[in-house]
Amino acid sequence: MSDKNSPCILQKPDTFLHPLELAVPVLSLGGVLLAMLFSGPESPIDVRYFAAGCIISSFILAYLAWIRPRKDIVALTTPIYSFLFFVAPSDFAVNFVLELLYAVSLTILLIRLKMRFGAATEYGLSREKTLEEPLKTYCETISRQANDISPGSGHYAAVAFARFAQGDYRLAADVADAALAEMGNNSPSPVLATAFSIIREQGLLLEESAESPAEFIEFSSQDSDVLARSLPPANKRNDCYEVSLDNALLFLYAAAWTASLKDRPLLLTGQGFAQKLFAS
Amino acid sequence: MKIGNVEVKPSIISIAVFVIFTVFLLAASVNSPDVRSQLIWLIPCLFMLLVIPIALNYMSRSQYADIAPQYEEEAKTVRVKLINENMIGKPVRIEGVVERVHFQILNRPQYLVADRSGAISVKMFTSPDEDVKVNDVVEVLGQVIRRYIVVGDPVINCVSIRKIKKSGN
């Protein structure tokens, strides 16, 4: 996969997100520090102004929560609390103790966000704009090892994957069937033909809500170089059945990404599903 | 309690609220003649605290009972791993083990159901037909929705959850 064909816009997400993450404790606790320094009775500056650090940090934290795939409702609502504590008129005084407690809470929430709610998407862009790891590396591998796939087959692969991701299993099976008919017996990529066969078979079984059969189509051990997930032992039939489908879907995704550039926007909408298959 | 064909299950919170206010009213009416003179409207108000949640529960449960056969017909049995954001709005059926149960006390139970391929949140907006506990093996029928309506990971808006095997413990 050449970089010039990739819709990936951004290369170094950390240069933007890490400073933002650091800004949360730095701004909030920095504001507290200044509030402590200027908290004397003869101080010319009202300590309430330093609560601005906590307010800005709250908005940054909410942004960091927003750009994650899983949303943390607590972090998302911190700007509201910052407004209630530091801006809205109330009976309790804004002093450095309140600011300190608030700043510590924000820092704890940031740690919780990073530990429990996954990594942020690059620059806040969704998975609909850029291909992420490990799928990106896998697509690059397939583009090197299976570069003889035609754009027509790539398009079929993209549509079959998209239909499967949408839960339209019969349509996915129909597309796989059409692809196999077009490729005939002279498929340049036998792995692609096997992947379509697996999609057709398992798509029809899912459509009928049928149990996994005793005998089913699966990849051979010679195909393992181009498969995303390693093949389980042959005696674990349920695992073999499920991994066959995962590998077939991921191979179709990578083949479509490599061979059919016009389908990349469609493939990016299904990236979340492909990443899930990888992670399982 | 059964109204028609619908088993109505008011939440414990609703019953607790009714009981607490009944005790308050009894105490106040014993101590104050002013309160006793207002009992003619205080007692109906008190019963409304119980009647309204029962009525709401009846309506939601009868509605769920009506749509369950349609889901039964249309839903496809899928593994948890196959459920993704592209399936939003699709009716699905999953089978798995209940790993966690939350908010049962509010009649808005939320389950974490896992099968061999993964786990998914199952949210129900009324009380279930059966008392589902951790480690029960269940069949869930519902629709794929986003966790926070327009954002968040896919979860199942549960129409029906029933035990297909008793818990092992």
Side-chain angles (χ1 to χ4, degrees), chain B residues 108-147:
Chain B
R108 297 287 183 276
Q110 188 173 322
Y111 309 96
L112 185 72
V113 177
D115 66 9
R116 284 161 34 84
S117 68
I120 191 165
S121 278
V122 173
K123 292 182 171 190
M124 195 163 194
F125 294 93
T126 190
S127 50
D129 287 335
E130 298 177 41
D131 185 20
V132 175
K133 296 188 176 74
V134 172
N135 288 335
D136 282 341
V137 180
V138 293
E139 182 196 75
V140 174
L141 209 58
Q143 185 183 42
V144 183
I145 59 167
R146 289 198 184 275
R147 188 178 290 276

Side-chain angles (χ1 to χ4, degrees), chain A residues 260-276:
Chain A
S260 183
L261 298 182
K262 67 173 182 179
D263 285 313
R264 286 188 174 183
L266 175 68
L267 291 167
L268 286 168
T269 62
Q271 185 183 182
F273 178 48
Q275 296 284 8
K276 194 176 176 184

Side-chain angles (χ1 to χ4, degrees), chain B residues 93-106:
Chain B
R93 181 189 291 107
I94 61 165
E95 289 179 8
V97 182
V98 177
E99 290 192 341
R100 280 206 301 267
V101 183
H102 297 301
F103 309 125
Q104 221 159 12
I105 196 170
L106 299 174

Side-chain angles (χ1 to χ4, degrees), chain A residues 71 165-169 206-207 209 229 238-239 242 245-246 269-270 272-273 276 280, chain B residues 75-87 90 93 116-117 148 151-153:
Chain A
K71 311 295 182 202
Q166 289 160 3
D168 296 328
Y169 302 120
L206 278 165
E207 182 68 27
S209 295
R229 299 187 57 200
N238 277 332
D239 288 352
E242 290 175 15
L245 180 63
D246 294 354
T269 62
F273 178 48
K276 194 176 176 184
S280 58
Chain B
K76 291 164 193 156
T77 306
V78 294
R79 296 190 286 279
V80 166
K81 185 170 59 180
L82 297 180
I83 296 171
N84 68 91
E85 58 264 38
N86 295 289
M87 290 175 74
K90 289 267 160 64
R93 181 189 291 107
R116 284 161 34 84
S117 68
Y148 307 115
V151 292
D153 53 325

Side-chain angles (χ1 to χ4, degrees), chain A residues 70-127:
Chain A
R70 286 181 63 214
K71 311 295 182 202
D72 177 9
I73 195 80
V74 183
L76 281 170
T77 52
T78 50
I80 298 169
Y81 287 106
S82 72
F83 183 83
L84 291 174
F85 285 144
F86 302 118
V87 181
S90 67
D91 291 339
F92 54 84
V94 175
N95 54 29
F96 77 86
V97 177
L98 178 65
E99 290 178 32
L100 176 65
L101 289 172
Y102 193 85
V104 170
S105 304
L106 286 185
T107 308
I108 293 167
L109 283 177
L110 177 69
I111 295 165
R112 175 177 174 271
L113 186 71
K114 283 177 71 71
M115 290 177 72
R116 292 184 56 182
F117 290 86
T121 48
E122 296 180 4
Y123 285 76
L125 290 176
S126 71
R127 283 173 163 171

